[in-house]
Amino acid sequence: MAKTICVTNQKGGVAKTTTSNAIGLGFKKKGYKVLLIDLDPQGNLSFSVKAEVDESATIYDVLKGDVSVHDAIQKTEIIDIIPSNIILSGVDLEFTHTGREFLLKEALSSVQNEYDYIVIDTPPSLNILTINAFAVADCIIIPMLADIFSLQGITQLYETITRVKKYCNPAIKIEGILLTRYNPRLILSSEIRETAEMIAQQLGTTIFDTYIRASVSIQEVHTQQEDMYKYASRNNAVKDYMNFVKELITRGI
Ligand SMILES: Nc1ncnc2c1ncn2[C@@H]1O[C@H](COP(=O)(O)OP(=O)(O)OP(=O)(O)O)[C@@H](O)[C@H]1O
Ligand SMILES: [Mg+2]
């Protein structure tokens, strides 16, 4: 059975996609079989691993029941992924039937035995797509920037996860908060870290030991659509992500 990890935070630009890409490729580098799911209509994760999204089947077709998961998986030169594109943005209005929270879970059941890890990138919102991700996830990773605005909205996220736990997925666990684009030398960063630790406690979770340092060239790796561990292995953020993958494995994830 694959371990399903959902990377989420309804706040935009906190490095959800970068983290999904990094842990997916990191597990793969460690020899595990990994499937990425792009559940964001922006399609950033798909782009980052060179998936084709204009002609090919996407996660939208899978959720709709038109295409099987197997037919939607793209094996790019970088990794296996079910991509997405902007059509996915209509699902909140389009899927109104009972059981719509479990569409992704039902779809993924047929590939659970083919992968060690399934990593789901989510959009910057709390909607039916995010709920679908929570309904199938074993655990949740919350990337967060060390700034004061990041602390807002966390309560709403927590309430949603709590409702999903009650009604859809009792086994779900918030594995931890990952501080991203972190500058350990800034006093503000360490103050926020303390606040973040308090929040983590309220969420019944912890801050991961590893944090991801800010690094400009990580953006270049994304735009060049390359594997960060191959093309930027000496970059600080990339080193941090590899340590993060090790931390996850040590935690038994
Ligand atoms: N460690 C880092 N250092 C510097 N820049 C980073 C780092 N991690 C991510 N970024 C940059 O921050 C921006 C946002 O990252 P990313 O797209 O991963 O966030 P996101 O949470 O997925 O955004 P969205 O909410 O729009 O989906 C990108 O330009 C990315 O390259
Ligand atoms: Mg994103």
Side-chain angles (χ1 to χ4, degrees):
M1 275 285 278
K3 199 75 173 194
T4 305
I5 304 173
C6 169
V7 182
T8 197
N9 187 338
Q10 84 272 30
K11 200 170 158 46
V14 297
K16 291 180 287 295
T17 303
T18 308
T19 301
S20 304
N21 175 297
I23 62 178
L25 291 174
F27 283 131
K28 189 178 168 216
K29 195 173 157 65
K30 291 271 173 202
Y32 295 103
K33 283 182 278 179
V34 182
L35 174 64
L36 299 181
I37 312 277
D38 190 348
L39 213 56
D40 182 355
Q42 298 182 96
N44 297 151
L45 184 65
S46 309
F47 175 84
S48 76
V49 299
K50 288 193 176 136
E52 200 289 317
V53 296
D54 294 325
E55 316 271 307
S56 313
T58 64
I59 192 70
Y60 170 79
D61 303 301
V62 173
L63 297 177
K64 204 154 178 234
D66 289 347
V67 171
S68 78
V69 170
H70 283 103
D71 288 340
I73 293 175
Q74 273 184 48
K75 295 177 184 294
T76 79
E77 66 191 72
I78 299 180
I79 201 162
D80 290 9
I81 181 166
I82 305 183
S84 86
N85 62 22
I86 195 67
I87 296 173
L88 190 62
S89 60
V91 297
D92 246 331
L93 297 173
E94 190 179 345
F95 298 166
T96 52
H97 53 277
T98 323
R100 66 190 197 131
E101 296 84 359
F102 299 105
L103 295 171
L104 184 63
K105 182 174 178 165
E106 281 163 18
L108 291 181
S109 61
S110 63
V111 286
Q112 288 284 355
N113 290 327
E114 291 165 37
Y115 292 95
D116 300 308
Y117 291 100
I118 298 176
V119 180
I120 309 173
D121 185 23
T122 57
S125 45
L126 281 172
N127 59 16
I128 193 62
L129 291 170
T130 345
I131 306 277
N132 263 272
F134 295 169
V136 66
D138 295 302
C139 66
I140 287 178
I141 292 171
I142 305 177
M144 215 178 97
L145 301 186
D147 71 22
I148 199 74
F149 300 121
S150 299
L151 309 178
Q152 299 168 344
I154 287 280
T155 315
Q156 209 186 353
L157 176 62
Y158 181 59
E159 280 168 6
T160 307
I161 295 171
T162 307
R163 272 204 306 280
V164 169
K165 198 177 168 93
K166 188 169 169 194
Y167 297 112
C168 304
N169 184 1
I172 195 169
K173 183 178 177 214
I174 305 179
E175 197 60 45
I177 293 176
L178 175 69
L179 291 176
T180 58
R181 290 159 67 180
Y182 190 71
N183 185 344
R185 280 173 304 196
L186 289 182
I187 293 168
L188 184 65
S189 281
S190 46
E191 278 175 7
I192 300 277
R193 193 187 166 94
E194 282 167 25
T195 316
E197 257 152 23
M198 270 162 48
I199 288 174
Q201 238 170 21
Q202 285 166 11
L203 304 191
T205 188
T206 50
I207 309 269
F208 288 108
D209 293 337
T210 314
Y211 53 78
I212 311 300
R213 282 170 286 179
S215 150
V216 184
S217 53
I218 200 135
Q219 298 178 4
E220 283 164 31
V221 179
H222 263 265
T223 34
Q224 285 163 4
Q225 302 172 286
E226 300 291 3
D227 177 342
M228 62 171 81
Y229 300 107
K230 278 192 187 145
Y231 292 91
S233 58
R234 280 190 298 231
N235 177 281
N236 283 340
V238 176
K239 283 186 201 155
D240 295 340
Y241 271 121
M242 194 27 95
N243 286 332
F244 181 51
V245 167
K246 287 181 194 153
E247 182 178 346
L248 290 176
I249 293 170
T250 311
R251 280 177 174 238
I253 294 173

